Amino acid sequence: MLKSGTLITVKREADKKKNAVYHGPRFDVYAEDEHGTIYDLEMQNQNHHDIEKRMAIYQGNLEKQALYAGQSFSERCQTVVLFLCDHDVYNLNRVHYQLIPQLVGYPEILIDNGETNVIVNLKGDASKQAALNQEMLTYFNDGTVTGKFSAALDRAVREVKNDVKKGENYMTIEEYAARQSAYAREEERAEKEAQTIKGLVTLNLDKDQIIKFLIDNFNLNKQEALAAYERVMATA
């Protein structure tokens, strides 16, 4: 999943919010290595069921720095968005998930667009992973440094913590309140959907009938309704 490299730039909470109308991300940790690869490292301790969309927004902002004017598109820098989660986003008991674009109808054809999107499940079983990944998971779970890579991570984290003490780029109270309110509404909506799906199952409605009900009554498209159904049934 990861290749060891030397981080030459590390910034905490790099703020890309330059527009009062459109959403701009605030990167938890922004970094670049000696190969020109650009990284965004995010910590996630709650599942708000929006991680794929968040990754797309973060990638969109990293891409603005991935190519200089006058360069050919083949010279585009690699951009990496890495989410460290203390929960299993997809409930598949995997240590990490890599999201990749595929050609519709031909899943064996993978599209290399210069983006890497990885979700790390910090509570997963690291014993089946490569040594480098085990080292990373051990560090982020209990802070133990076991090698050169985790030692470099530890130095970067300490630098970030020192920057935090300087009080730069804090999220405003208004931004925090708005985000928490949005998450609360989303959780309330998801819970209502879940209870509805469970109720329809007890009434012996089949999958297609339940999905149609969700589309008609919850203002969801087919993909959203299917995702809600599968999410509930996976934990039933």
Side-chain angles (χ1 to χ4, degrees):
M1 179 183 70
L2 294 176
K3 295 182 179 179
S4 182
T6 302
L7 297 180
I8 59 174
T9 301
V10 178
K11 299 177 182 177
R12 66 160 297 277
E13 287 199 348
D15 196 351
K16 299 299 178 182
K17 189 173 181 59
K18 301 298 184 181
N19 191 295
V21 177
Y22 297 108
H23 183 82
R26 177 177 281 107
F27 301 137
D28 283 356
V29 177
Y30 171 95
E32 300 174 13
D33 67 19
E34 78 275 23
H35 304 297
T37 302
I38 305 171
Y39 301 87
D40 167 39
L41 177 65
E42 298 291 324
M43 301 295 295
Q44 187 78 9
N45 58 14
Q46 295 182 32
N47 189 358
H48 297 297
H49 308 290
D50 62 359
I51 196 166
E52 299 89 353
K53 294 181 176 63
R54 289 185 65 188
M55 281 184 150
I57 294 296
Y58 286 116
Q59 278 287 0
N61 281 271
L62 290 182
E63 288 168 0
K64 295 176 182 178
Q65 303 169 71
L67 192 69
Y68 289 106
Q71 286 186 306
S72 69
F73 289 108
S74 63
E75 296 177 278
R76 180 199 191 280
C77 293
Q78 293 288 319
T79 53
V80 179
V81 174
L82 181 66
F83 269 72
L84 304 177
C85 301
D86 66 354
H87 54 276
D88 191 344
V89 173
Y90 298 112
N91 296 313
L92 296 175
N93 197 32
R94 298 286 301 276
V95 171
H96 73 270
Y97 304 97
Q98 184 170 351
L99 282 60
I100 55 176
Q102 297 177 327
L103 189 62
V104 175
Y106 301 88
E108 71 279 6
I109 299 179
L110 307 181
I111 310 301
D112 181 12
N113 59 2
E115 296 181 5
T116 299
N117 293 294
V118 177
I119 300 170
V120 176
N121 172 21
L122 294 175
K123 302 305 180 184
D125 181 6
S127 63
K128 300 178 181 178
Q129 298 297 308
L132 181 62
N133 294 341
Q134 291 183 28
E135 184 179 343
M136 183 191 70
L137 292 172
T138 298
Y139 176 77
F140 279 112
N141 271 303
D142 59 25
T144 301
V145 174
T146 57
K148 292 182 179 180
F149 182 68
S150 54
L153 281 175
D154 188 59
R155 287 194 297 272
V157 169
R158 290 177 185 276
E159 182 176 343
V160 170
K161 288 182 177 179
N162 288 335
D163 282 345
V164 170
K165 293 178 181 178
K166 296 176 183 177
E168 299 174 351
N169 295 326
Y170 280 110
M171 182 183 297
T172 66
I173 294 175
E174 291 81 4
E175 288 177 318
Y176 178 81
R179 179 174 297 183
Q180 293 304 110
S181 178
Y183 283 148
R185 291 194 300 271
E186 180 66 20
E187 290 175 358
E188 182 179 352
R189 182 191 63 78
E191 178 61 24
K192 186 176 181 180
E193 290 174 3
Q195 293 303 321
T196 299
I197 292 169
K198 292 176 182 178
L200 295 176
V201 169
T202 63
L203 295 175
N204 296 319
L205 271 68
D206 61 28
K207 177 179 178 179
D208 291 338
Q209 290 174 315
I210 293 174
I211 289 175
K212 185 178 186 303
F213 184 93
L214 293 174
I215 293 172
D216 293 341
N217 293 275
F218 283 87
N219 195 31
L220 302 178
N221 59 39
K222 187 173 181 179
Q223 183 177 3
E224 292 169 336
L226 178 61
Y229 175 84
E230 292 181 343
R231 186 163 55 244
V232 171
M233 298 308 294
T235 58

